[in-house]
Amino acid sequence: MNSDDQDSTTSDAMAGALPTRRRAIKTFGGLAVAAFVPGAMRAAWGEQQGGSNPVFTLGVASGDPGSDRVVLWTRLAPDPLNGGGLNDRAARIDWEVAIDPAMTRTVRRGTTTSTARNGHAVSVHVTGLRPDSWYYYRFSHRGVQSRIGRTRTFPAAGVLPARMRFAFCSCQHYEQGYYAAYRDMATQDLDFVVHVGDYIYEYAASANVPAARRHQGGEIATLADYRNRYALYRLDRHLQDTHAAFPFIVTFDDHEVDNNYAGLIPEDEQTAEAFRQRRRNAYQVYRESMPLRANVQASGDGLNLYRRLPYGRLADILVLDTRQYRSDQPCDDGLQFLQTCPAILSPDATMLGATQEAWLFDQLRQSRATWNVLAQQVMMMRWDLGALTGQPLNYYNVDAWDGYQAQRDRILRFLAEQRVANPVVLTGDIHSAWAADLKADFNGASSPVIGAEFVCTSISSGFGDSNDPLVKATLPSNPHIRYFDGLLRGYSICTVTPGAWRTDFRAVQRVADPVFTVPSADLPVSDVAAFNLIAGQAGLTRVL
Ligand SMILES: [Fe+2]
């Protein structure tokens, strides 16, 4: 593993790789005080409370919608940056779901219990809901109410909905920028949000960023560390607003645990047992912090995160896990020449592990959906940087699928041979915006296009402006890559109908890395590029 990637101001894949190459939160001794401030905390839908709510400081969230169900999330955390602030006693939390934003027509209600063992976070698995419908929800604890959240169920199985519209995003390094992208996303007309990883970063506090946007302490490893780090990110009002506005479908990448880890192999030299425990801590807090389906559960050292979410007959969303089961990156990670690193082509190298690969093929074989969506982490397209060397060499980023080519090629061949309908791969990780035609064989000029890949850029994590022209110099030798921009932070919106798919890249006003020169969440956000796909006709068309 590459252990010299300490520069958190450049992207995961590019760091050191290219050639030349408290907030003040009121602290309460206990929750008794909460009983004296009830009415003041009653909120209307959409009203942000943030740190002003003495108990629900981290807001509310929902996720993993089905046609009759959704998961609701919150956490009792009167002192969110210092372990939460509750004692070891279990706490009662009431919840309610209504069909109107004023919460007057309640359709479900119940009580759940938070425990110290789960950091006083709760996930409520609400069932018996109507398909394809908006709902509103809130929690209360000892007279204090949370803000009101909004969520939405998916269409029923067998129904072909007229439209699905969602945002997808990744990589929100807290120290590297404000969440203007989330400010914009929260106001969009969306059914849900897909987050493909790097929801937090595990790094120590940097000395070179404004104190208002700084991590706390050293690199995180314990349960308490991970809880405090998620709390720091969740205190951001724009992230809270977006969670309150839409259900999320999430998966993790590396930074939810440790930069560029692979399976149980860490980035740095730690003992195997130490990393095993650290990863277990990270997975537990991820499970606690996200609105995940009941069947996403820890088992042994792992967390079974990969899952399928069908959006009626319009789309099957297959959420992948490309970190937990992968073999080590070939040749110590980073950028590697194929000519000196034949392990890039090893048939034994695996990104998904054998079980997940078999599951993926089963799902794709059984799918009757118009669009088959793979929501995952690292770039699946071939990206050969050999042009930068001036020699006839193949040069790959081996943390991405280019380091696991045998398995990547099995998947692309499967999509072609099984004639899987309209595959679309959604990717994060690399902090830059890309669109590519996926081919069964990237080496064959006449090999047919079998699907498309979109890489949202990062919410806030930097790419390094100086890397932008270097990447552009590699594009002529990668003609299937149809779009790249390394200067943008933002996210993407996908508008999907039975006949067509459109991806819009939305970007925050161009800003300089490593830290926004205008450190503001008020920066304008606009459309910068868009691509269309026609159902049944592989190949991207640029429309903006
Ligand atoms: Fe990232």
Side-chain angles (χ1 to χ4, degrees):
M1 302 287 294
N2 180 11
S3 61
D4 61 7
D5 182 9
Q6 294 299 314
D7 179 5
S8 62
T9 64
T10 49
S11 86
D12 307 346
M14 303 292 287
L18 281 174
T20 66
R21 43 190 191 146
R22 194 177 315 204
R23 159 171 171 165
I25 290 295
K26 272 179 103 173
T27 310
F28 296 89
L31 276 177
V33 65
F36 299 105
V37 288
M41 291 306 145
R42 203 157 286 144
W45 147 242
E47 188 176 324
Q48 220 280 347
Q49 298 173 315
S52 69
N53 189 307
V55 180
F56 299 100
T57 52
L58 305 177
V60 299
S62 72
D64 274 1
S67 59
D68 68 340
R69 65 194 56 210
V70 73
V71 181
L72 308 181
W73 177 94
T74 196
R75 182 176 173 219
L76 302 179
D79 190 8
L81 299 180
N82 293 289
L86 291 193
N87 60 27
D88 287 346
R89 278 202 297 271
R92 173 187 162 133
I93 301 172
D94 298 314
W95 56 269
E96 54 189 320
V97 176
I99 57 173
D100 63 314
M103 301 290 302
T104 59
R105 296 157 70 192
T106 302
V107 295
R108 288 283 180 282
R109 65 170 74 238
T111 298
T112 188
T113 303
S114 74
T115 65
R117 205 164 58 89
N118 293 322
H120 288 282
V122 291
S123 289
V124 176
H125 306 278
V126 183
T127 57
L129 303 176
R130 285 181 296 135
D132 210 10
S133 301
W134 288 109
Y135 288 95
Y136 300 82
Y137 62 96
R138 72 180 160 206
F139 299 89
S140 61
H141 173 71
R142 299 182 68 169
V144 178
Q145 291 181 333
S146 73
R147 70 182 297 172
I148 297 171
R150 183 182 68 170
T151 191
R152 187 172 175 80
T153 53
F154 272 12
V159 170
L160 183 61
R163 192 198 78 158
M164 165 176 95
R165 192 162 196 261
F166 67 97
F168 86 101
C169 60
S170 75
C171 297
Q172 53 197 45
H173 198 310
Y174 185 80
E175 294 188 331
Q176 293 182 3
Y178 286 74
Y179 294 164
Y182 277 126
R183 188 205 74 236
D184 181 73
M185 194 190 297
T187 66
Q188 295 291 324
D189 169 22
L190 306 172
D191 298 308
F192 58 97
V193 174
V194 175
H195 197 295
V196 292
D198 289 0
Y199 189 97
I200 59 157
Y201 283 72
E202 81 284 16
Y203 295 120
S206 163
N208 303 321
V209 296
R213 212 61 187 173
R214 199 179 289 163
H215 285 161
Q216 294 185 314
E219 183 152 326
I220 57 177
T222 67
L223 278 178
D225 291 343
Y226 282 104
R227 283 179 182 145
N228 290 339
R229 188 58 59 85
Y230 277 92
L232 179 69
Y233 280 57
R234 276 283 172 81
L235 283 169
D236 182 278
R237 60 168 298 203
H238 299 302
L239 178 56
Q240 281 198 20
D241 283 348
T242 310
H243 275 294
F246 310 109
F248 271 52
I249 297 167
V250 301
T251 184
F252 49 46
D253 194 12
D254 53 337
H255 288 288
E256 284 86 349
V257 181
D258 181 31
N259 180 51
N260 281 18
Y261 81 98
L264 282 165
I265 302 162
E267 175 189 27
D268 298 319
E269 55 299 317
Q270 306 162 31
T271 66
E273 188 47 41
F275 185 68
R276 185 182 293 272
Q277 183 59 50
R278 181 184 181 191
R279 200 186 77 161
R280 204 184 293 136
N281 295 340
Y283 286 179
Q284 176 180 331
V285 179
Y286 187 79
R287 178 74 189 81
E288 285 174 9
S289 305
M290 295 294 175
L292 289 161
R293 288 188 167 188
N295 64 1
V296 175
Q297 290 290 342
S299 67
D301 293 317
L303 184 72
N304 61 327
L305 194 61
Y306 60 86
R307 61 206 189 277
R308 166 180 175 264
L309 293 97
Y311 196 90
R313 281 199 293 124
L314 183 59
D316 267 5
I317 301 167
L318 301 172
V319 180
L320 304 185
D321 173 353
T322 61
R323 285 288 164 193
Q324 187 175 178
Y325 312 107
R326 66 155 87 185
S327 50
D328 198 7
Q329 291 91 342
C331 309
D332 207 26
D333 209 352
L335 292 177
Q336 299 293 339
F337 294 105
L338 178 62
Q339 286 74 10
T340 56
C341 179
I344 283 172
L345 301 181
S346 167
D348 299 325
T350 182
M351 184 77 90
L352 302 178
T355 307
Q356 186 178 191
E357 181 180 326
W359 169 87
L360 174 63
F361 288 169
D362 275 350
Q363 300 302 314
L364 292 169
R365 210 178 277 119
Q366 294 164 22
S367 170
R368 297 292 173 267
T370 302
W371 301 93
N372 286 283
V373 183
L374 306 187
Q376 54 101 57
Q377 290 76 37
V378 292
M379 291 216 302
M380 187 170 277
M381 68 185 80
R382 188 198 67 183
W383 173 38
D384 188 342
L385 293 82
L388 296 178
T389 69
Q391 297 173 57
L393 294 170
N394 302 102
Y395 198 30
Y396 294 118
N397 167 22
V398 299
D399 183 60
W401 282 95
D402 274 325
Y404 301 79
Q405 295 194 11
Q407 189 177 48
R408 189 259 310 276
D409 293 350
R410 279 200 301 279
I411 293 171
L412 293 174
R413 269 201 313 274
F414 183 92
L415 294 172
E417 289 167 9
Q418 300 288 321
R419 299 181 181 279
V420 172
N422 304 306
V424 179
V425 178
L426 306 180
T427 300
D429 176 59
I430 195 164
H431 307 177
S432 43
W434 308 61
D437 289 321
L438 293 178
K439 302 179 72 167
D441 175 9
F442 288 109
N443 294 319
S446 61
S447 178
V449 174
I450 52 98
E453 179 173 12
F454 300 105
V455 185
C456 61
T457 185
S458 55
I459 293 283
S460 59
S461 306
F463 182 67
D465 282 1
S466 59
N467 287 325
D468 180 83
L470 294 175
V471 175
K472 284 181 173 143
T474 68
L475 298 184
S477 50
N478 293 277
H480 53 281
I481 298 177
R482 306 286 306 281
Y483 171 66
F484 164 78
D485 197 319
L487 301 175
L488 307 174
R489 309 284 77 79
Y491 67 101
S492 299
I493 293 179
C494 302
T495 308
V496 185
T497 68
W501 176 300
R502 177 183 169 117
T503 295
D504 284 277
F505 290 89
R506 284 187 69 71
V508 180
Q509 174 186 308
R510 287 174 186 240
V511 289
D513 289 338
V515 173
F516 287 2
T517 50
V518 185
S520 169
D522 300 326
L523 292 164
V525 180
S526 56
D527 289 322
V528 291
F531 287 84
N532 267 7
L533 293 163
I534 304 299
Q537 300 174 27
L540 289 162
T541 303
R542 186 162 183 171
V543 291
L544 174 68

